[in-house]
Amino acid sequence: MHDQNEYLYFLRRAFDGMLGVLEELGDDLGNTRPPLPGANSVYAITYHCAAVADYWTGHVVAGREVDRDRAAEFTATGRASDLRRQVDALYEQLAADLAPVTPASMPRNTPPADFEGPDRPLSVAGVQLHVLEELAQHHGQIQITRDLLKQGASS
């Protein structure tokens, strides 16, 4: 059995970083969109990242049914404490999803052709890299969003 602990460690770091910013901002500011065209709230971005990890790991890699409404992810609002509980439960689910995965494993499902993601077939390792890619870029986006919101709140 292939050990997924190192991969899960980096997922946890990214999620904890995003949730930490959300908790630092508080629920009001965490659900506020910065005044930029197409900008999203820290809550919505974090919520989107949870859905990304759930879909790509749970559905694509593990074959689990995942009900995902991608467009709704960007308008999601809520409390940081509730989202942390959801991410904690998701993290446990992802660990279970990845427990039987080996380097030779192939994804159990293929995303639809029009799905936003890599434009080539992916191995399990490729799917995992894509999830890390998404979480890393959105973690940085959240940090910049925090800075914009805090600047706006203090001016």
Side-chain angles (χ1 to χ4, degrees):
M1 188 176 297
H2 183 67
D3 184 0
Q4 293 287 339
N5 286 334
E6 192 167 41
Y7 176 73
L8 289 164
Y9 167 80
F10 283 102
L11 287 186
R12 185 83 248 187
R13 278 175 49 97
F15 276 123
D16 283 347
M18 290 183 262
L19 290 163
V21 169
L22 186 58
E23 291 161 347
E24 172 190 340
L25 289 173
D27 290 335
D28 288 342
L29 215 47
N31 282 286
T32 300
R33 293 172 182 255
L36 298 169
N40 295 299
S41 72
V42 169
Y43 183 95
I45 300 165
T46 306
Y47 186 92
H48 165 68
C49 286
V52 164
D54 190 31
Y55 178 82
W56 286 89
T57 304
H59 180 69
V60 176
V61 170
R64 185 167 44 80
E65 282 304 311
V66 173
D67 183 25
R68 182 176 185 202
D69 181 351
R70 188 179 184 280
E73 294 164 17
F74 297 100
T75 58
T77 60
R79 296 169 35 138
S81 58
D82 293 337
L83 189 54
R84 182 171 283 282
R85 280 192 290 280
Q86 290 171 15
V87 168
D88 287 348
L90 172 62
Y91 185 78
E92 295 303 316
Q93 178 62 59
L94 297 177
D97 290 340
L98 292 172
V101 171
T102 69
S105 296
M106 289 303 296
R108 304 267 307 273
N109 286 306
T110 303
D114 64 345
F115 217 67
E116 291 191 31
D119 59 358
R120 56 179 273 180
L122 297 176
S123 64
V124 166
V127 171
Q128 289 181 294
L129 287 171
H130 174 57
V131 171
L132 278 176
E133 169 192 46
E134 286 287 314
L135 269 58
Q137 72 179 348
H138 286 308
H139 185 195
Q141 178 188 11
I142 281 171
Q143 291 169 326
I144 292 169
T145 301
R146 172 200 58 209
D147 295 348
L148 287 168
L149 291 169
K150 288 177 89 172
Q151 180 189 21
S154 66
S155 52

